[in-house]
Amino acid sequence: MKKLYNISFAVLVISALLYSSCKKVLDKGPLTTYTGQLVFSDSTLAVEYLNSIYSNNLPTWAGNGGANSTIASASVGTLTEENQGSNIFVLGTVVSSSVTDIGTGNNATNNYGKIRALNDFISNLASSPIAMGTKNRFKAQALFWRAYRYFDLVRLYGGVPLVLTPLPVVGTAAKQAALLPRNTTTQTFNQIVNDLDTAIMYLPGNWPAIDYGRITKGAAQAFLGRVLLTWASPQFNPTNDMSRWQAAYQANTDAIATLSSHGYGLYPKEDVTMWTTEGPGGSGPANPEAVMVTEFNTDNSSSNTEDNNTYTASNIPKALGGGGANNPTWDEVQAFPMLDGKAPGASTKYPYDPVHFFDNRDPRFNQTIAYNGCLWPLEGNATNRLWTYYYFTNSSNTATKTTEPVGASSSGFYCRKAVDPAISATNLPYSGTDWQEIRYAEVILNQAEAAAMIGNSSTAYTDLIAIRNRAGIEAGDGMYGLTPGLTGTDLAMAVLFERQIEFAYEGKRYWDLRRWKLLESTLNGKKRQGVTFLLQPSTTSGQANTDYLLNNRDAMAQASLDNVYTNYFSYVPMTVGVGSTLGELKYLDSQAITYQPADYFFGIPLATIQNDPNIQQNNTWGGSFDPLK
């Protein structure tokens, strides 16, 4: 594996800056040919280097977090019920060379290239004359990011080679030093925990306003809670060792205590402002939900190309200048509970009608799913409505055309979560919506899951109720639609379902199913579905429905969208393939999802093993390495 580390310090600094994504205050200016001695003799220059580390490691909207290059390239939402997508994972064609995140090349942007930069930073910092308190805070941030990178790797492959100091870069010694074996999975997780424990010791609860976005003590504790929850989950814990669940519970409990004492908590309401509110605010953050955040802005100057994103532009319809992507499936649409928290079809107060599927749903539904006829303010137009239906264009009712003038949604739906309604058409390419890698809600649900597994059902229910209460679900008998009396795995599955709804389109669902080893049982054999909404061919008031609805649809929907569906779309059958050219459910997948059992620990690419013969292949891919040890 020598190619992973054969990078000089000066080249590494320059490369890191070349690949940096300038994130507001975390980008102060360029480093060029500074030596390590010069950089670490001055705290300002050391901050420059630290900022480049942030830029190279902060997750973004790309691929919903985009931490893993192979998974991100497939777009993690397409790996679950959320979106349709044909890729090697859902098709069951993954081979040992498919997941290449472990890397083989001399590249500052792959995991080990980034780890090299972090180790250089930590090593050079040790002999720096910078004040000890400042050095400790610098080191704590670098240790957090090293833990972040190793967690990226261990959840993909199991144990990986642990490189904790810069390796020699030239000569025979360098070649030999680079031929490293894999550490065990236990050793890898232990190192991640050790790095995070040290980081937590020295990180502040909040940073000064100018440094908003840096990793805080609470963020590091929350990430530790995520790490330990993964370590406790069935993917890594097939014997259900309760001490791991207890450790996960304690880590998340500690994180909640630290975060709440520094102004963090659940955002008061779950709407788009939870994503567009940002920055410092008094003694705590203006957005208490944003525990770990990557900042973006709307600067579209020619000198700035990397501190904004295209998330909003990607999601909104093509007719408004967007990409029309990220189309929710009918499977995900149906998953949301009713207003009383009960599952569709299980509520007696709110009977579920698949024709009027939008009625009386969990309020998170209307903050996540954009559907035919819904009010969806966009580009500053507060009265904008989305229309995604088809209509007949000939008298024999055999030819159809979409009401969307520039490309229709593939599934009949759009994702509206975190889509800024105020951004103008001109500024669509320059979205400033921040990516929240860790929300306070995740820490709450991480605690709930671990609590369920250690028998602390009271805390698990309290956490679930807090999330549902904030969402706006009706209290009912005080259980917010939750099934009472659940314990252990059954209660943990209630938490997993809550995560599916709460974190829809945030890149969490795939990892949850994977760590619980539920990919096959949940998804295999399924073809994800969409809906074609088609206007009835009858007439109203002597006019063809096509013209009548086109001229009156907004006013009619404002008065009663239910009536619009009843009178114009009610015949839409809710069975795939029924209705021929009429509106119907449709399969989005050409073949059923087929996850492989070996995907819970991906294979090590042959190129990596050839680069370092001391690396063993996973036993699930024909090798001798046991990723469960």
Side-chain angles (χ1 to χ4, degrees), residues 203-207 216-219 221 254-265 281-288 290 440:
L203 287 168
N206 277 318
W207 289 91
T216 64
K217 177 178 181 178
Q221 288 177 303
D254 292 344
I256 290 169
T258 297
L259 289 166
S260 61
S261 68
H262 288 90
Y264 292 86
S283 59
N287 183 352
Y440 190 85

Side-chain angles (χ1 to χ4, degrees), residues 312-624:
T312 295
S314 295
N315 277 26
I316 71 170
K318 292 181 179 179
L320 294 177
N326 203 16
N327 302 141
T329 65
W330 178 243
D331 310 73
E332 188 71 11
V333 167
Q334 291 192 104
F336 282 77
M338 306 304 290
L339 184 56
D340 61 358
K342 301 292 186 181
S347 172
T348 56
K349 184 176 181 181
Y350 299 112
Y352 177 65
D353 173 5
V355 172
H356 304 99
F357 58 87
F358 45 83
D359 280 346
N360 302 312
R361 303 300 292 274
D362 177 336
R364 289 173 291 190
F365 177 87
N366 282 302
Q367 296 300 324
T368 306
I369 307 295
Y371 51 89
N372 182 48
C374 76
L375 183 66
W376 188 14
L378 286 174
E379 299 180 2
N381 181 2
T383 62
N384 179 71
R385 282 192 182 271
L386 174 68
W387 295 102
T388 63
Y389 62 86
Y390 288 72
Y391 55 90
F392 293 109
T393 57
N394 60 10
S395 58
S396 58
N397 298 328
T398 57
T400 57
K401 182 178 180 180
T402 175
T403 191
E404 295 188 81
V406 187
S409 162
S410 62
S411 70
F413 302 98
Y414 291 92
C415 176
R416 65 185 294 175
K417 190 173 205 175
V419 173
D420 187 350
I423 194 167
S424 68
T426 302
N427 286 328
L428 275 183
Y430 314 109
S431 172
T433 307
D434 293 344
W435 170 256
Q436 295 180 35
E437 175 62 24
I438 302 178
R439 291 205 276 123
Y440 190 85
E442 181 190 343
V443 192
I444 292 289
L445 291 177
N446 287 350
Q447 182 193 52
E449 185 180 322
M453 293 303 292
I454 64 173
N456 187 351
S457 298
S458 175
T459 295
Y461 273 110
T462 298
D463 289 342
L464 284 168
I465 287 171
I467 297 297
R468 289 193 160 205
N469 178 45
R470 190 272 297 275
I473 289 177
E474 294 176 348
D477 59 1
M479 292 298 291
Y480 291 81
L482 296 167
T483 301
L486 297 176
T487 59
T489 301
D490 290 338
L491 185 51
M493 290 302 98
V495 177
L496 214 63
F497 171 75
E498 202 64 32
R499 293 173 68 94
Q500 179 185 357
I501 303 305
E502 178 68 26
F503 304 130
Y505 305 99
E506 295 180 44
K508 303 285 192 290
R509 177 67 169 166
Y510 169 75
W511 299 108
D512 284 344
L513 291 176
R514 190 167 180 267
R515 66 184 174 83
W516 269 95
K517 299 192 75 172
L518 294 174
L519 288 169
E520 299 152 282
S521 60
T522 302
L523 298 171
N524 276 10
K526 293 185 177 181
K527 291 183 180 180
R528 290 161 290 193
Q529 299 176 356
V531 177
T532 298
F533 297 100
L534 191 95
L535 185 62
Q536 293 185 63
S538 60
T539 61
T540 300
S541 302
Q543 296 180 9
N545 275 357
T546 300
D547 296 330
Y548 186 79
L549 188 62
L550 182 62
N551 293 328
N552 298 280
R553 60 192 185 185
D554 282 12
M556 293 166 62
Q558 178 65 27
S560 174
L561 186 57
D562 273 358
N563 288 342
V564 174
Y565 269 75
T566 298
N567 295 326
Y568 296 92
F569 302 106
S570 65
Y571 69 90
V572 177
M574 289 299 150
T575 303
V576 174
V578 174
S580 184
T581 59
L582 302 181
E584 60 183 26
L585 289 183
K586 58 186 177 182
Y587 285 128
L588 301 173
D589 291 308
S590 59
Q591 68 181 68
I593 294 174
T594 312
Y595 274 104
Q596 302 174 93
D599 286 1
Y600 293 110
F601 294 103
F602 292 115
I604 305 296
L606 177 62
T608 300
I609 295 174
Q610 290 174 335
N611 200 39
D612 179 1
N614 288 333
I615 286 185
Q616 298 174 338
Q617 182 62 271
N618 281 331
N619 57 16
T620 50
W621 291 89
S624 58

Side-chain angles (χ1 to χ4, degrees), residues 264-283:
Y264 292 86
L266 291 176
Y267 192 78
K269 56 182 178 178
E270 193 150 344
D271 64 10
V272 71
T273 63
M274 187 172 75
W275 297 89
T276 54
T277 301
E278 63 177 8
S283 59

Side-chain angles (χ1 to χ4, degrees), residues 43-84:
S43 61
T44 300
L45 294 179
V47 168
E48 296 278 5
Y49 190 9
L50 183 60
N51 291 341
S52 74
I53 285 173
Y54 270 86
S55 293
N56 279 333
N57 287 281
L58 279 166
T60 71
W61 285 99
N64 294 118
N68 306 95
S69 59
T70 308
I71 298 296
S73 65
S75 186
V76 70
T78 69
L79 306 182
T80 70
E81 315 94 330
E82 292 180 346
N83 302 112
Q84 187 276 335

